Amino acid sequence: MVRAARKRTPQVSLKGVFLHAVRAVGGDDRRGGVVAEALDFLQRGFDAHYARGHAADGEILAGDDAYAGAVEIISCLNEPHFVAVASRMIRDGAGHISSGGEVSLETWVPHLADLLRVISGESVERSRDRVRRAAREAAG
């Protein structure tokens, strides 16, 4: 019996949400595009690992490759803070899934806001508001 793949990450693109939030800051910041690309890889890694209850070896390898791509892309910015946030996103998302849950966008909003804060220079609260607004606009 083949089970339908079940996505356990946000239905909305992290890349799209983040790019929208970066544009709202008013910057065409290269770092924003790099971070958004890394977020896309991170989301693909989660989708490959956790789309079904038990991922096949190929899915696990695809997920690992996507995680590595995310870290490699973001490390090109030479800003350890970005790598630390990506690591926390992976840890927190995996924790939600291992406890039987799903990763909502709200789970990752604080992390996205922290990334945006570094790029924008704004407060984390202002960045969090921008990310939430971008998520609402992207969703509908």
Side-chain angles (χ1 to χ4, degrees):
M1 182 172 149
V2 177
R3 294 186 318 192
R6 192 178 108 195
K7 191 170 178 166
R8 295 172 72 184
T9 62
Q11 295 297 320
V12 66
S13 162
L14 294 179
K15 178 180 180 178
V17 168
F18 195 75
L19 284 174
H20 192 80
V22 168
R23 281 192 294 273
V25 171
D28 184 33
D29 192 27
R30 179 188 75 84
R31 295 181 306 165
V34 172
V35 170
E37 193 65 33
L39 289 168
D40 188 50
F41 272 91
L42 183 129
Q43 190 167 17
R44 282 192 266 160
F46 264 86
D47 289 343
H49 270 185
Y50 302 113
R52 294 183 201 95
H54 299 287
D57 288 345
E59 292 167 318
I60 290 171
L61 290 174
D64 289 347
D65 188 51
Y67 290 150
V71 172
E72 181 179 347
I73 288 168
I74 210 161
S75 69
C76 291
L77 294 173
N78 197 25
E79 294 190 42
H81 184 78
F82 287 145
V83 175
V85 172
S87 297
R88 288 193 305 270
M89 287 181 78
I90 292 169
R91 181 199 66 216
D92 291 353
H96 279 281
I97 288 172
S98 68
S99 66
E102 296 184 7
V103 181
S104 69
L105 184 59
E106 192 59 35
T107 301
W108 280 335
V109 162
H111 304 299
L112 297 174
D114 201 14
L115 293 168
L116 185 61
R117 178 193 58 79
V118 172
I119 290 171
S120 68
E122 296 179 320
S123 71
V124 72
E125 293 81 14
R126 181 77 177 126
S127 292
R128 188 176 298 126
D129 291 343
R130 285 190 192 279
V131 168
R132 284 189 175 126
R133 190 173 317 117
R136 282 191 304 272
E137 290 172 7

